[in-house]
């Protein structure tokens, strides 16, 4: 008899009565056992659910479970009285394909490369793209393609076109801005809806824009932070995935704050990516729901 | 038509297939709408679930909902194929009756009294019991009975018997040890299983026992903490409900650490009580599950 | 022989060579022993120092120490080659006189009253002033004058004039805005330079202005905070004294965030007051230096 | 005229009157300007001071400053009335030579290698030593010698002797235990007094010894942490340099806690090394003083 394997079912859409009942009913009739079920309904009436359950392999169709995944999804869709607008995802691919965009700072990129090298990133880094070549030596240590696409002598559109041509080679599922210090145009961002993740070097919404540690110093803050978020058309305004903070005091110069901040930035970015790549993050308007 | 009101259903017991399905099915057939459902299965196979749903008033039995609460619980029990060992609680009473035990320190007690005075405690403080009379003036400001039960000249058993006689007057659902600095005997504790909540002035399991801030100072720790937990027979060993911490440095004397620690203690205790009194805390062996 | 007693010397002014040397020289020649010396020079060249030293009583003039405090300050001033603009303070009065301004929320006020009742505030609360009478019953428990000065039917200036007439009775050294929810005019603020302390219900500079928890919810932040700061002419823009934070997630409504935020607010305010009232806070432009 | 350069003077020893005065007097007579002065006297009467000052280059002896560093140290020693037991250090070498010991886990080592590659470690990693060869590929990317010294078939003493023979080649100033999972003998530790730094995977003193995340899980803690400390003869008992924490909840398995803990471990270790290597850490009994 097949060992039970763990499956993950994700579901979101407009709320209506009986959603949990109908979905768990399908699983129950196949004798699947739910290990963990996390559900959230937003004030706006949007339903989100993440269900972990154990079953014999869905794909091989053993005795008590003659279904494959497609059949299960079909059954779920036809069982719901009100399936309009509901999206199901079953066992989404764990390893995402990503391209990382950087400028000159290494701390976030280094963090991602080390995690990738030890299979801890839940993603494959297909390539690194930068408007400078400073980080090429680091990337080459890990055997990953590095594309230096300078912005010099190019309009913003020309530069982004050049980046997109390179991205087209790799067809990444997500773009990770690991301290990519140029603002992206709405046109560019629109090509990757909810698929660009940025690390912002401040506790958003404080200190939007450039040079936040200088701003933090001038203001004499006692705590600094970092924010990982999806990028949408408004600068620094997409759904927040993760944040963390670090205490500082008046003895810290703006430079000291930046150094301390880097430790927060790279951990926050890594933890946000872990959440997104393990399919725990849903988007509800301008908020990220983490199940 | 009656306004929908919010109800809370709590459930725990041995895990088996179909629990969520059968419970949500009962709710669905009554056209109740689940707003939030949080479920957890422990590695040991214990099932915990907290369900918030909207319904017409369960008690008055309007049109589409001719059930009262007792009938609903009965239906739930009979619907489950495997109800053995399963406990349901429907709309547990929000305001718990408590007695607070203190010694001489006021910071936790003051916190509870202020919250109580403004109806923020989810509990009624029936009385305060102390082995000293130091805090009587504070308690009397809030019009709450204060019982000074000195331990002097009494054996531990005699003292606890005296306390129990006073508690018998009030029949509290929970005892809150808000810096009660005497160790309770197992015999006493056994009378209140999972109903005594203590605030420990350290980050447990570090610095078990007396004088933790002196220990923390001697050890030169950089962070101190506090822990709210249920009391069982082993000193400082019951399920942990909430913890928090505060940074310190070498300039803090043991006294300074104690002062800083008090702020953490009273907030941690208050937040733990809020969780317990709003019925969000389940106990699984030596762990507290917060849904 | 007199027991050594602890004294505190505060000093600030323009930096120049030899300041520490000359000051410690004066103390050394009187055989005073420095226990702790904390010094900071701002990037703008402002010098701040806090010195704790042990001496025989400065006032009684025993054998080796025939000075009183005034004579010591005089000696310090004449010893410095460059005393222009330097301010010395010796053993500033520990207990400050304060008036607390509130509106309707009790959590910060309750915190201050309890601390005051147990002599932990380093201040005497001379009176509480409010534009509502909601908190009168709480204040009366502690035997402190409560002045209800309604803003209704008054211009802002008339209302502030009425408050100032009441403040004139008490001549407080500091005003504490413990959730006083009205914006003060620059004219009012100018009467109390660096003497008004406010608790802002957000992690400044995020969410300036009203209703920050609603803003935080809409933005889906993962961390909320509170900021205690001096009030100057710009709303929410004075030097920050203390900040702290608390994690939240998508399940927290704006109301839940506000409840959690209150715990942070009152602790941050209390800790900021402790720093200010123990004369550890210097102001350097828009930054607070905490020695 | 020479640009002023920044110098650091470190001083520790038994406290006596006039220490700050005499030291700052020497600096003043050479027209050196103190930028920052941080001083601490332990309750046991030990004096610690860290002074940053600006001067023309001490070594070249320009106009107003005909001293070299050795002459300045000599002058300091002869000026103090009570120099017995006082240690001065002037401009200690910023880049320390270190050897890193690891077992199989990469997260702390990877962190150190990336920082080293970008000149952020304040140290040169001379070599990495491990009882396994798992991390050799990672180390080789950075061009650093890797010594695989297996413990198999060796007594503890034989294994430590083999390690010491390798260390003798490099003569490191510090050993960094970046998740080196074997207990060192007192004999070994005694060769490197206050020169071995360990990262412990828990919030010490909680969960001393092996498998702390399993212990943390069993105990149901709500916060986990990590501790960087000097190693002395007692396991997990040397002076604590830095600590940090991370919130967890009942949903985290022991494995999840370990994964979260790794992020804390590597940042705490890095921040502790930064403090030690920039000569900000003094040792006072079992406490680390960070100036």
């Amino acid at each position: 008899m097949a060992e039970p394997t763990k499956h993950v079912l994700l579901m979101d859409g407009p709320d209506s009565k009986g959603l949990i009942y109908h979905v768990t009913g399908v699983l129950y009739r196949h004798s699947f056992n739910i290990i963990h079920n996390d559900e959230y309904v937003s004030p706006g009436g949007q339903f989100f659910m993440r269900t972990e359950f154990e079953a014999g392999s869905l794909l091989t169709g053993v005795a008590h479970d003659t279904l494959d995944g497609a059949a299960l999804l079909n059954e779920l869709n036809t069982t719901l009285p009100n399936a309009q607008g509901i999206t199901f995802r079953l066992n989404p691919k764990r390893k995402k394909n990503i391209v990382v965009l950087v400028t000159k700072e290494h701390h976030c990129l280094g963090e991602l490369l080390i995690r990738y090298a030890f299979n801890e990133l839940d993603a494959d880094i297909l390539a690194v793209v930068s408007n400078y070549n400073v980080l090429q030596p680091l990337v080459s240590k890990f055997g990953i393609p590095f594309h230096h696409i300078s912005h010099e002598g190019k309009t913003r559109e020309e530069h982004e076109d050049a980046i997109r041509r390179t991205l087209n080679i790799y067809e990444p599922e997500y773009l990770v801005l690991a301290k990519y210090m140029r603002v992206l145009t709405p046109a560019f961002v629109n090509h990757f809806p909810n698929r660009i993740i940025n690390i912002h070097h401040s506790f958003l919404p404080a200190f939007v824009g450039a040079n936040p540690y200088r701003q933090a110093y001038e203001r004499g803050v006692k705590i600094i932070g970092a924010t990982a978020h999806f990028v949408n058309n408004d600068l620094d305004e997409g759904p927040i995935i993760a944040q963390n903070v670090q205490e500082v005091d008046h003895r810290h110069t703006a430079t000291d704050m930046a150094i301390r901040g880097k430790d927060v930035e790279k951990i926050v970015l890594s933890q946000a990516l872990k959440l997104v790549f393990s399919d725990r993050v849903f988007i509800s308007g301008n908020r990220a729901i983490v199940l």
Side-chain angles (χ1 to χ4, degrees), chain A residues 135-189:
Chain A
L135 296 172
Q136 176 144 33
L138 174 63
V139 173
S140 70
K141 288 188 207 300
F142 293 84
I144 294 168
F146 180 92
H147 296 269
H148 175 205
I149 304 177
S150 175
H151 60 280
E152 287 187 43
K154 298 193 186 77
T155 66
R156 187 169 297 273
E157 285 69 24
E158 288 168 352
H159 185 233
E160 290 188 348
D161 283 351
I163 291 174
R164 284 196 54 218
R165 281 193 298 275
T166 298
L167 295 177
N168 285 341
I169 303 169
Y170 296 104
E171 298 188 332
E173 294 163 276
Y174 289 95
L175 300 188
V176 176
L177 310 185
K179 306 294 287 181
Y180 180 70
M181 305 308 280
R182 289 173 62 84
V183 175
L184 296 168
T185 65
F188 184 95
V189 171

Side-chain angles (χ1 to χ4, degrees), chain A residues 6 10 36 38 50 52 94 274-282 289-291:
Chain A
K6 200 177 84 173
L10 307 174
H36 179 64
D38 203 353
R50 184 180 185 281
E52 290 181 16
R94 184 63 183 255
K274 187 176 185 63
L275 293 172
V276 173
F277 297 163
S278 58
D279 300 292
R280 293 181 169 276
V281 180
F282 296 80
I289 310 300
V290 181
L291 299 186

Side-chain angles (χ1 to χ4, degrees), chain A residues 99-119:
Chain A
V99 168
V100 181
L101 274 72
V102 296
T103 295
K104 288 178 174 175
E105 290 173 277
H106 66 273
H107 58 288
C108 288
L109 177 61
E111 179 80 13
L112 300 185
L113 291 171
I114 294 277
R115 287 178 191 253
Y116 173 56
F118 287 91
N119 204 19

Side-chain angles (χ1 to χ4, degrees), chain A residues 111-136:
Chain A
E111 179 80 13
L112 300 185
L113 291 171
I114 294 277
R115 287 178 191 253
Y116 173 56
F118 287 91
N119 204 19
E120 292 178 343
L121 192 59
D122 294 341
D124 286 321
I125 302 179
L126 305 180
V128 175
V129 172
S130 179
N131 53 330
Y132 289 91
N133 62 11
V134 175
L135 296 172
Q136 176 144 33

